[in-house]
């Protein structure tokens, strides 16, 4: 994740992981909330099904999405 970007968007891949630029600043969990909303929207699931499992204060995060498998999630995050 890259907080404080001009817009929230998928910005390709970095080290084999999707890189997400977030418009929200890294203050008071705003960037984490924006990431959860972005992932939920891209994967077509409610926000309540997306949670950050690790990396709350890091740019590298692990996200769990209930109700879809890893391949489906990666496909949703890979599409333009």
């Amino acid at each position: 994740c890259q907080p404080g970007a001009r817009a929230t968007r998928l910005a390709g891949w970095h080290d084999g992981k999707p890189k997400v630029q977030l418009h929200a600043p890294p203050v008071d969990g705003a960037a984490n909330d924006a990431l959860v909303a972005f992932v939920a929207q891209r994967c077509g699931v409610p926000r309540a099904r997306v949670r950050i499992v690790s990396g709350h204060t890091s740019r590298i995060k692990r996200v769990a999405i209930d109700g879809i498998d890893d391949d489906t999630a990666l496909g949703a995050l890979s599409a333009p």
Side-chain angles (χ1 to χ4, degrees), residues 68-79:
I68 63 173
D69 59 34
D70 291 347
D71 291 334
T72 302
L74 285 175
L77 294 170
S78 296

Side-chain angles (χ1 to χ4, degrees), residues 5 10 13-14 17 19 22 32 38-39 47-49 53 55 62 70:
L10 187 62
W13 292 81
H14 181 72
K17 300 169 196 72
K19 180 177 179 179
L22 301 167
N32 287 342
F38 178 78
V39 170
R47 288 180 60 155
R49 289 191 180 177
V53 178
R62 178 169 286 173
D70 291 347

Side-chain angles (χ1 to χ4, degrees), residues 5-80:
R6 287 186 177 185
T8 297
R9 68 185 189 99
L10 187 62
W13 292 81
H14 181 72
D15 284 339
K17 300 169 196 72
K19 180 177 179 179
V20 179
Q21 293 178 328
L22 301 167
H23 180 68
V27 177
D28 296 330
N32 287 342
D33 290 342
L35 176 64
V36 167
F38 178 78
V39 170
Q41 184 268 326
R42 290 292 299 235
C43 294
V45 299
R47 288 180 60 155
R49 289 191 180 177
V50 179
R51 67 186 186 285
I52 298 173
V53 178
S54 65
H56 293 277
T57 59
S58 171
R59 286 182 174 226
I60 299 173
K61 301 180 185 303
R62 178 169 286 173
V63 178
I65 308 164
D66 295 333
I68 63 173
D69 59 34
D70 291 347
D71 291 334
T72 302
L74 285 175
L77 294 170
S78 296

